[in-house]
Amino acid sequence: MKFFSKKKGRKTAENPLVQCVSGDSAAHPFSQLDSYMPLARAEQELYESLREAVPIIDAAIGKLVRLTGNFTVECKSRETTAELNRFLNGVNVNGTESGIYEFLNIYLDQLLTYGQAVGEVVCNNRGTEICGLYNGSLKDITVKHGDTPMSLVVCRNNAEQTPLEYQELIMFTMLNPAPGALHGTSLLKGLPFVSSVLLKIIGTIGNNFERLGNLRFAVTYKPQSNSSFECTKESVKQIADEWSKAMRTKGEVCDFVSAGDVSIKVIGADNQIIDSDLPIRHMLEQIIAKFSIPPFLLGLNWSSTERMSSQQTDILTSELKYYRQQLNPVISKICSLWMKTRGIGEEFEIKWYNINLQDEKELAQARLYNAQARAIEIENMQKESEAGWAQ
């Protein structure tokens, strides 16, 4: 079946082509300003630096991606269900990996970091078979409105802003976009200022330990009043040489012995380093509030009650369900394209696994309570019917 029609007279490529790659790099910075909106490349670089500078931000995004979980796709027929899931588990991703989960992990990571994500279904030159999935770079594309404000067109980021030829193969998702905006909102929005304060505190701690932790000594020699200048100078030089020799000796005990009024003090030993635990915790609380992740999942041993931890877990579960909803259209598009290439018109349903074992336990306990309640109701109905017959 010929899925994508080709124009007559055009030569087709022998290998699958990827559309979301960089083209002409000499894009004019002022061309077509009224028809498209760039995806804020400087802001993307800022968020990349933010994840690299603050490890807890990178760890939080990684936790959200991994905790999103897995899913299965069910169709009406068992044969189609088995074949579709076999395709999803073995599809080529970016030429180096396999499985739709690898594609979705990169896609969701990009979505949370930049507020938008782009991917592509790669087909063969005849459009009769899906060859793989490709995670595109936001630096290589531009998004603009189509014929109506309800439609979006993904274009190459070149001088002409050329629309991609097969828009139906492109997947583009925006996270919490502002009304009328063509770009999403990053999960890291609002964190640069807080992170800069945190980095200043950490940098100051490093400087203080470099100054006060690495001990420096002040050797003071007080000569006698009747000593000559030359004698004093010679004595100071001898004391300095002996002290340097004692400090350079490693692994051996070396005593420093001198004659005269000589005093030795540690520079900075009397100074106390400012306690930074409280301000660092304040900054980390602001950062963690953006991710809705319980602190103990990030290795922060903050005191919390069991009930508070349970409530934090429930909030995290709702956040993960929201991210699953963002991925459902992407999964549906991939499955629909696969069915079209196979000529299958069945409906399918995406079923996500429960997020953790605690959910499994609560669901099983709820089913047990419902079954017990149902058994009691049936027993009461039987007793009432027996009493009615007795009368």
Side-chain angles (χ1 to χ4, degrees), residues 68-69 320-328 352-353 355:
T68 303
L320 296 176
K321 289 181 179 178
Y322 172 73
Y323 298 139
R324 287 179 171 184
Q325 294 176 0
Q326 300 295 319
L327 296 178
N328 279 337
W352 290 87
Y353 297 144
I355 294 176

Side-chain angles (χ1 to χ4, degrees), residues 205-216:
I205 294 175
N207 293 332
N208 289 337
F209 271 95
E210 185 178 356
R211 293 171 181 171
L212 305 181
N214 188 9
L215 299 181
R216 293 172 172 84

Side-chain angles (χ1 to χ4, degrees), residues 86-307:
R86 192 180 306 113
F87 160 76
L88 294 176
N89 293 327
V91 62
N92 185 11
V93 176
N94 299 323
T96 58
E97 301 170 334
S98 62
I100 191 173
Y101 298 117
E102 298 294 336
F103 171 80
L104 292 178
N105 288 341
I106 301 175
Y107 194 89
L108 181 58
D109 186 279
Q110 191 181 52
L111 182 64
L112 298 178
T113 304
Y114 307 117
Q116 50 258 336
V118 62
E120 180 182 355
V121 177
V122 182
C123 296
N124 58 3
N125 55 348
R126 294 173 296 175
T128 57
E129 184 179 357
I130 296 178
C131 300
L133 304 176
Y134 178 75
N135 293 101
S137 174
L138 295 172
K139 298 178 182 179
D140 298 332
I141 65 168
T142 301
V143 180
K144 65 180 181 180
H145 285 298
D147 298 333
T148 63
M150 298 297 293
S151 62
L152 296 178
V153 178
V154 181
C155 307
R156 291 187 178 89
N157 192 17
N158 53 20
E160 294 79 14
Q161 301 298 322
T162 308
L164 301 181
E165 188 174 1
Y166 302 117
Q167 295 289 327
E168 60 273 15
L169 299 179
I170 304 299
M171 295 164 289
F172 183 77
T173 305
M174 294 184 290
L175 181 66
N176 298 327
L182 290 177
H183 60 87
T185 303
S186 171
L187 195 61
L188 307 183
K189 184 178 181 181
L191 294 184
F193 173 73
V194 176
S195 300
S196 65
V197 176
L198 177 63
L199 293 176
K200 287 179 182 178
I201 297 175
I202 296 176
T204 303
I205 294 175
N207 293 332
N208 289 337
F209 271 95
E210 185 178 356
R211 293 171 181 171
L212 305 181
N214 188 9
L215 299 181
R216 293 172 172 84
F217 299 92
V219 181
T220 305
Y221 169 62
K222 298 179 180 179
Q224 298 179 359
S225 58
N226 57 355
S227 300
S228 63
F229 177 76
E230 294 296 333
C231 182
T232 302
K233 184 178 180 181
E234 183 179 354
S235 299
V236 170
K237 185 177 183 304
Q238 184 179 4
I239 292 174
D241 293 339
E242 293 298 325
W243 179 256
S244 299
K245 180 181 177 181
M247 290 293 100
R248 287 195 301 267
T249 303
K250 297 182 179 179
E252 298 179 0
V253 178
C254 184
D255 297 328
F256 171 72
V257 180
S258 64
D261 190 0
V262 179
S263 62
I264 302 173
K265 292 183 179 181
V266 178
I267 299 177
D270 298 333
N271 295 333
Q272 183 179 1
I273 300 177
I274 300 176
D275 185 12
S276 58
D277 291 342
L278 189 59
I280 287 180
R281 176 166 177 171
H282 286 335
M283 297 301 104
L284 292 179
E285 286 176 349
Q286 298 293 326
I287 294 175
I288 295 176
K290 289 285 292 184
F291 300 101
S292 301
I293 295 181
F296 61 85
L297 290 181
L298 298 174
L300 300 175
N301 298 321
W302 294 344
S303 60
S304 60
T305 62
E306 182 179 356
R307 183 175 181 84

Side-chain angles (χ1 to χ4, degrees), residues 44-46 69 96 110 125 132 154 180 193 217 248 299 308 313-314 321 337 339 341 350 358 376:
Q44 295 173 17
E45 296 177 354
L46 171 64
T96 58
Q110 191 181 52
N125 55 348
V154 181
F193 173 73
F217 299 92
R248 287 195 301 267
M308 182 182 298
T313 304
D314 292 338
K321 289 181 179 178
L337 289 173
M339 288 189 171
T341 58
I350 303 172
Q358 184 178 359
I376 295 174

Side-chain angles (χ1 to χ4, degrees), residues 31-98:
S31 61
Q32 303 179 1
L33 286 176
D34 56 345
S35 62
Y36 78 97
M37 184 179 299
L39 296 178
R41 180 175 300 180
E43 190 175 2
Q44 295 173 17
E45 296 177 354
L46 171 64
Y47 294 145
E48 291 175 0
S49 301
L50 197 61
R51 291 187 60 172
E52 184 178 358
V54 185
I56 198 170
I57 294 179
D58 186 68
I61 294 180
K63 285 285 192 302
L64 290 176
V65 172
R66 287 189 292 271
L67 290 174
T68 303
N70 300 335
F71 63 92
T72 183
V73 182
E74 295 185 0
C75 306
K76 290 185 177 179
S77 64
R78 294 183 178 178
E79 294 78 8
T80 306
T81 300
E83 190 176 356
L84 176 56
N85 284 279
R86 192 180 306 113
F87 160 76
L88 294 176
N89 293 327
V91 62
N92 185 11
V93 176
N94 299 323
T96 58
E97 301 170 334
S98 62

